[in-house]
Each structure stands twice: as structure tokens, then as C-alpha cells.
Amino acid sequence: MQKASVLLFLAWVCFLFYAGIALFTSGFLLTRLELTNHSSCQEPPGPGSLPWGSQGKPGACWMASRFSRVVLVLIDALRFDFAQPQHSHVPGEPPVSLPFLGKLSSLQRILEIQPHHARLYRSQVDPPTTTMQRLKALTTGSLPTFIDAGSNFASHAIVEDNLIKQLTSAGRRVVFMGDDTWKDLFPGAFSKAFFFPSFNVRDLDTVDNGILEHLYPTMDSGEWDVLIAHFLGVDHCGHKHGPHHPEMAKKLSQMDQVIQGLVERLENDTLLVVAGDHGMTTNGDHGGDSELEVSAALFLYSPTALFPSTPPEEPEVIPQVSLVPTLALLLGLPIPFGNIGEVMAELFSGGEDSQPHSSALAQASALHLNAQQVSRFLHTYSAATQDLQAKELHQLQNLFSKASADYQWLLQSPRGAEATLPTVIAELQQFLRGARAMCIESWARFSLSFLLLHLLAAGIPITTPGPFTVPWQAVSAWALMATQTFYSTGHQPVFPAIHWHAAFVGFPEGHGSRTWLPALLVGANTFASHLLFAVGCPLLLLWPFLCESQGLRKRQQPPGNEADSRVRPEEEEEPLMEMRLRDGPHHFYAALLQLGLKYLFILGIQILACALAASILRRHLMVWKVFAPKFIFEAVGFIVSSVGLLLGIALVMRVDGAVSSWFRQLFLAQQR
């Protein structure tokens, strides 16, 4: 066999596995078609008249705007219990205190003093809980794909319709300051921007202090319509120290002062939104779907009354994507085309003096616009791809048709409105929640095509003739050693357990604006065992030589029998170890091919087992926490191992070629 043919055949087998992994990934993980359609004021989301007050009013679109300005304070990793009001269970005694509890006291004070002006919600986040995916959800109202977690290192511009694009299209001045991830997601979208590098998680203050340097002067200047400040100190403190460290108390107290300063400067036409993009684990990490990671805080406040009722005892739980349609309608903008969130209807009720009937009618109008937009998206999406399940889609469209007809009848028959309004609101909410549930389920279906390719790759014959056969138990032990080393060095196949500190080895001051270098360092730290054992796999060819030489020594020196201890002539003349390779180089290349196929086969069995587990348990509650991340780690580990194996075999062939050349020169010299 020739060197090139061995490498090409192994590369072909690797390609079959790669194709299988890609097909499984496209069928199992959250994947969807990103539509480029955009909503506009000139095209209402559906037939029928727009809500009263929208026609002819300057700046109005689908619905008359309630606010002309918004201040969005995004506190990265603001877990819900960080903002939750603390009450003592025993009168006269202070509540149980942890470093992160009760530090956002301004929120609790506002909720108590101005209950009709503020609300605290528990924002339910969709996994993965990584910053880039959360920003996409907070601006598009859609579900980012699970596999997009890898894009957290290098974000790309959002092509889908989103709030930022709607704001700039409407001529609103959007000013941003904070995490430079926004620069890549929305290039050129801001009228003024102050970006700060975000990846150095050891730095707790540079980004936050940079924001504070510009926040209040910008706010006082009045040269803005939407002000976005993305603080990173809480998230970085979690990664570096964890939530139970005193530094977390300091960062939360700093955020509390920021909120107080903003509240003092707010005008009556301005809405303040304080939100966390995700939570964090007890160790301060995030990326999975544990309760602490998917539970974030959302606080709304305005100097004018927002709500007709006082806050409930337990904060309401809302999906994070619900903020997108709510802000769009409150600002008089079209809801982004691909949004699947549900408007927070309570915000459209009017203030504390509004009448119950008019409040309910305003809520129904907002929900109907939202439902029209979601129905239009589902219709467009289902026409472009077959991802959505036809039966559920048909049932949802029937539900929407009935709710829309009831709403139109409600507008034309005001006498029976009081009795019909709650039913219409319930129908519209049922449609919106059903649509979101269907999208989540449909974008997580499993494709069997992966198994077919995997079985095809696994069925390739891997027995080749030759005297240098490496036993299966040796190859299996070598592959298991790579896995054991992965775990013994403190790694786990879950996103929160990634050793992010590895990104700063050799770079204690950070990497500037580069993201590929920290990503490379983290990847090398995570998959070092896979790479090293794969590159060293060809060394297993020495296994039969070693066993043979040890067995020969034992045969040459049997205890207590000196007469038989003399070496037999045929054994004395037989070359040992690497010298035998010079007599049959074609056997050597065949042995390399056999060894490479055996190693790929064992790795393939491991990833096939992960794929089967993920597919069987794809509806399990732990799928996004355990099974999908495990498959992703195994898939990346297989790719790293296969590339390392090809490099290792190529290196051994290169060394063998050099040794062969040296032998030829030696023999020629002896013949002379």
C-alpha cells in the first residue's frame, strides 16, 4: 500500500463520520430557517382595522405608542433571586442574608412606594444560556439554535428582523454602551456607541466603569430615543468568584446605585427596563438549562402609572421573548417578523384610573396584533420549510381563525363585549402559547439519516493482512485512556464546566479585541487529551513487538533448565522490533491503516452511543442539560481525534520514510 492511499482512505472514512454528525445535528438540535422578511408600518400583520388611535397619529404604527423613550439596562447574568425582595419570616428579625440577597434594595423600595408604576417579573430563559443567544432572543423574539452556542466566541450580524432594525428604520436614535458583542450583532446600527471588550472575565470593573463614564452625561444630553447599557461586572464576578463571594455584593450594590440614578433622571414619557439575559449556577457559570441558569430578573418602571392593579405576592413568570413584542407595541413599532413571544398584556391596560372594560379591550387589541403577526410568521415559515408539524399547525390556525373572528365580532357588537372579552383574551393567549410550544418541539426533532451513515462507516471492513496487528484490547484501552484523561483533568461534558480561565494562560491582561485566540486556548485545554492520544495512537504499532520480545526472553531463559537456555538458531537470526519493518514496508502501511480504522471505529461507537441516547431521550427534561451537550462534546472530540490521528499517521510515515532513506544509504555504503 502507498502512503497517499492510506491517508486518503482514512480521510474518506472520517468524512463519512463527519457527514453523519452533521446530519444528526441538523435533525436533532434546535435548528430553524432564518427568514429575512421584515415587518413594516405600511403592511399590517393581517386583515381588519388597526386599533383605534393608531390611524393618523404621528409616529403611530400598528398601535399608538405609549412611550417615546426607553432605557434598557441589561445586567449580564442577573439571576432572579438577586433582585427578589427580601422579607423577614419572623417579625423583628432580619431576613436570612447571603452576599447576593437584598442588594438591589431600590427595586423593592419602588415596588412598595409606587406599586402601580413598577413590576418585577421572573424571566424564563430558553437554553442555551449564553450571552449571544440571549441577545438574539431579546431583540428578535425568536429561539436561537442550540448549536449556536459555539458562535458565542465569534458573533455574526443578525439577519432576522429585530427591534434594533425597527428602531433605526423608524428614525429613532439608539445609543449603546457596554459589551462589544452588540457591535458584531448590529454593525452600524447605533447613532452613538461606546464598546468595551467583554471576554476578559477576570476584569470586573473596566466595562461597568466605562459605561458609567458615559451613561449620565448621555442621558442628560437628551440626544437619544433608546439608551442601552449592557453591564458585565455581575457575570464576570460569577465566573471569577461565584455568587456567594463578597465581591458579588459589591457589584450588585453598584448596580443598585445605577438604577437609583436612572430613576431620578427619568421623564414621564420614558420606560425603564432592567433585565438579566440569563442566570448563573451556584458556581457562577452558565450555558445549560438548570433552574438557576434559566431564571433571570426583569423589572419595569415608569414615572407615569403603568398598571391598574398592585403587584402580586409572587412575581409572574414570563418567557424572555415576550419582552420583544411588548416593547415594539409600546414604542409604536411593528413587531419583528419572526417573533414568537406573547405581549405582556397587563402593560396595555392603562394606568390605575383606567376603566376595567377599556383596559380589557386594550389588552385584547394588543394580543390580536401579536397573534396576527405570529400567524403570518407560521404561514410564511411553513411555506418555506417542512419543519413545523402539519397537524398541530392546522389546529393552531383554526384556533387563531376562531379567536380573530370573535375579536372582530367584539368590535362590531359593543353590547356583548363585557361577557365576551375574557373569552377572546383567553383564546388569543392560548394560540400564542401553543405556537411557541410547537416551535420549540418542532425545532428539536430527530433525524434517522445519521444512523444510516454511521452504520455505513462502521461496516467498512477493517481487517487487513499483515504481521503487525495491534490487538483490539490495546486500541480500546488507548481510546478509553483519552476519555479517562478528559475527566481526570477536571473536565465534564457540560457547558457550565468549561474551563474558561484557560483563555488567559499566558495572557493575564486579556487579549484585546481578538476572540479566536481565547477560543483556541479554551478548546485546546478542553480537548487536549483527545488530541494527544490520537496523535500518539500510531505508537501502538510497537505493542506486538514489545510483547514478542518479552515472550522471546521468557522462552530463552526457562528457570532451572540451562541446557535449553541456549538460543535456537532461527530465533537468533530473526530480527526484532523496528528492524522487521524494513523487510516489509507494505505490511507496515497496512498495519497503520488497520490501526487507524480500529481507532476510528471505537470512537464512532462512542459517538453513536451518545447519538442514540440523545435521540431516545430527546423529550426528557434533561436533554439540553446532559444529553445534547454530551453529544456536542463527543462530536467535537471525534473531529479533534480524527484530525489528530491523521496527523499522527502522517508523522509516523514521514519518520519511516526518513529511516528508510537512511537504511538505503547505509546499505549502499556497506556494498561499496
Side-chain angles (χ1 to χ4, degrees):
M1 299 187 70
Q2 299 298 320
K3 299 179 182 179
S5 60
V6 171
L7 289 174
L8 287 175
F9 187 74
L10 287 175
W12 169 248
V13 175
C14 290
F15 172 76
L16 290 179
F17 279 106
Y18 297 161
I21 292 171
L23 284 175
F24 180 86
T25 301
S26 65
F28 174 72
L29 298 176
L30 278 178
T31 55
R32 61 183 175 84
L33 177 67
E34 293 189 347
L35 301 178
T36 56
N37 306 58
H38 290 80
S39 300
S40 67
C41 291
Q42 290 73 29
E43 297 180 14
S49 59
L50 292 172
W52 58 94
S54 300
Q55 299 91 344
K57 185 174 180 179
C61 191
W62 294 357
M63 176 175 279
S65 61
R66 187 171 180 184
F67 295 98
S68 57
R69 288 183 170 185
V70 167
V71 178
L72 172 59
V73 178
L74 195 62
I75 303 177
D76 210 293
L78 183 65
R79 207 167 70 189
F80 173 73
D81 55 349
F82 291 0
Q84 189 174 19
Q86 299 300 304
H87 302 285
S88 176
H89 297 289
V90 181
E93 293 185 9
V96 178
S97 180
L98 292 171
F100 57 81
L101 293 179
K103 296 301 181 288
L104 297 179
S105 57
S106 60
L107 303 186
Q108 181 172 352
R109 185 172 58 255
I110 293 172
L111 290 170
E112 292 174 351
I113 298 176
Q114 297 177 289
H116 295 280
H117 295 246
R119 272 295 185 279
L120 176 65
Y121 297 93
R122 184 192 293 267
S123 179
Q124 194 72 17
V125 177
D126 296 298
T129 50
T130 45
T131 296
M132 192 275 284
Q133 284 67 42
R134 295 302 93 226
L135 296 184
K136 290 180 71 172
L138 282 166
T139 54
T140 64
S142 61
L143 293 176
T145 59
F146 190 87
I147 198 63
D148 272 348
S151 301
N152 208 47
F153 290 110
S155 306
H156 303 285
I158 295 178
V159 298
E160 293 179 280
D161 195 8
N162 58 80
L163 275 178
I164 305 299
K165 182 175 182 60
Q166 290 293 343
L167 286 165
T168 55
S169 299
R172 308 289 180 90
R173 298 166 297 177
V174 184
V175 178
F176 176 83
M177 50 193 71
D179 186 349
D180 60 356
T181 303
W182 292 71
K183 176 173 61 176
D184 298 321
L185 294 177
F186 308 101
F190 304 111
S191 60
K192 186 181 293 184
F194 306 94
F195 297 112
F196 302 95
S198 60
F199 198 81
N200 189 356
V201 296
R202 296 187 176 186
D203 186 352
L204 308 186
D205 301 311
T206 298
V207 177
D208 293 358
N209 291 342
I211 294 173
L212 292 176
E213 182 181 347
H214 302 283
L215 180 60
Y216 299 130
T218 301
M219 199 169 178
D220 295 337
S221 70
E223 298 177 355
W224 58 276
D225 297 304
V226 175
L227 181 59
I228 304 173
H230 187 168
F231 291 90
L232 290 175
V234 172
D235 178 68
H236 287 187
C237 184
H239 285 300
K240 185 177 181 180
H241 301 293
H244 296 83
H245 196 275
E247 282 293 330
M248 182 61 76
K250 290 174 58 178
K251 292 307 301 182
L252 290 173
S253 297
Q254 183 186 32
M255 294 299 99
D256 188 61
Q257 294 176 4
V258 170
I259 295 171
Q260 290 184 40
L262 291 173
V263 168
E264 294 171 358
R265 291 171 167 81
L266 287 180
E267 298 181 358
N268 291 335
D269 63 344
T270 307
L271 175 68
L272 172 65
V273 181
V274 180
D277 57 343
H278 52 74
M280 66 172 66
T281 64
T282 54
N283 296 325
D285 298 318
H286 57 89
D289 68 342
S290 67
E291 180 60 30
L292 292 177
E293 292 171 273
V294 300
S295 181
L298 174 63
F299 177 78
L300 304 178
Y301 170 78
S302 174
T304 57
L306 283 172
F307 307 95
S309 59
T310 57
E313 291 186 9
E314 286 296 324
E316 182 183 352
V317 179
I318 62 163
Q320 187 182 55
V321 291
S322 295
L323 184 62
V324 173
T326 303
L327 287 181
L329 293 184
L330 287 176
L331 291 171
L333 299 171
I335 301 175
F337 190 89
N339 163 74
I340 58 171
E342 174 191 342
V343 291
M344 301 157 65
E346 193 179 16
L347 279 161
F348 298 89
S349 318
E352 54 185 318
D353 298 329
S354 60
Q355 298 298 319
H357 175 70
S358 60
S359 295
L361 195 56
Q363 291 182 31
S365 299
L367 286 168
H368 185 248
L369 280 173
N370 188 188
Q372 284 183 312
Q373 169 265 315
V374 172
S375 176
R376 181 184 63 176
F377 165 71
L378 293 180
H379 177 75
T380 306
Y381 189 92
S382 61
T385 181
Q386 302 301 316
D387 284 355
L388 302 179
Q389 300 180 22
K391 183 179 179 181
E392 292 187 22
L393 184 63
H394 182 68
Q395 292 175 348
L396 282 173
Q397 293 295 4
N398 289 339
L399 177 61
F400 170 72
S401 298
K402 182 180 183 304
S404 184
D406 290 345
Y407 173 76
Q408 296 298 335
W409 178 86
L410 187 85
L411 296 180
Q412 297 170 5
S413 306
R415 290 186 178 181
E418 269 188 53
T420 313
L421 259 176
T423 304
V424 172
I425 291 176
E427 289 175 343
L428 292 170
Q429 289 177 331
Q430 183 183 357
F431 165 75
L432 290 168
R433 293 166 188 177
R436 181 172 178 270
M438 181 189 67
C439 289
I440 293 175
E441 182 179 0
S442 298
W443 293 333
R445 282 186 302 184
F446 171 64
S447 173
L448 289 175
S449 55
F450 168 79
L451 298 181
L452 300 177
L453 271 182
H454 232 308
L455 292 174
L456 175 63
I460 294 175
I462 59 172
T463 57
T464 55
F468 311 115
T469 302
V470 181
W472 276 101
Q473 59 267 29
V475 185
S476 301
W478 193 260
L480 291 176
M481 281 277 290
T483 303
Q484 173 63 25
T485 305
F486 174 82
Y487 286 101
S488 63
T489 50
H491 296 94
Q492 296 181 31
V494 290
F495 291 112
I498 294 176
H499 295 179
W500 299 109
H501 57 80
F504 303 98
V505 174
F507 299 88
E509 302 301 325
H511 312 81
S513 60
R514 293 174 294 178
T515 56
W516 62 267
L517 182 56
L520 182 63
L521 291 173
V522 172
N525 175 272
T526 304
F527 297 102
S529 62
H530 297 75
L531 182 62
L532 292 176
F533 278 86
V535 172
C537 183
L539 297 178
L540 288 176
L541 282 177
L542 299 178
W543 176 275
F545 301 141
L546 182 61
C547 294
E548 183 181 72
S549 61
Q550 290 178 346
L552 184 58
R553 290 196 198 99
K554 292 179 181 178
R555 292 196 302 271
Q556 289 174 347
Q557 299 178 358
N561 193 348
E562 296 180 0
D564 296 336
S565 64
R566 294 189 298 273
V567 179
R568 291 190 295 271
E570 64 271 20
E571 291 176 346
E572 185 176 294
E573 294 175 359
E574 186 177 8
L576 299 177
M577 301 297 286
E578 296 88 342
M579 295 296 294
R580 294 179 62 188
L581 299 176
R582 309 278 66 78
D583 298 332
H586 58 287
H587 292 318
F588 175 57
Y589 297 144
L592 276 177
L593 176 61
Q594 184 185 37
L595 176 60
L597 289 173
K598 283 183 176 180
Y599 196 70
L600 288 175
F601 180 81
I602 293 173
L603 295 179
I605 290 296
Q606 291 180 357
I607 192 173
L608 179 60
C610 286
L612 288 172
S615 61
I616 293 170
L617 300 167
R618 63 189 181 277
R619 298 292 179 243
H620 195 280
L621 293 176
M622 300 287 285
V623 63
W624 298 122
K625 184 174 184 179
V626 176
F627 308 115
K630 172 64 174 174
F631 169 75
I632 292 175
F633 273 80
E634 284 291 343
V636 176
F638 176 85
I639 295 172
V640 171
S641 297
S642 60
V643 172
L645 179 67
L646 293 175
L647 291 175
I649 291 177
L651 178 62
V652 169
M653 287 182 171
R654 178 70 181 88
V655 172
D656 178 68
V659 173
S660 299
S661 176
W662 178 74
F663 265 86
R664 285 194 297 269
Q665 294 176 6
L666 181 62
F667 291 149
L668 288 175
Q670 288 179 347
Q671 291 176 0
R672 293 174 185 171

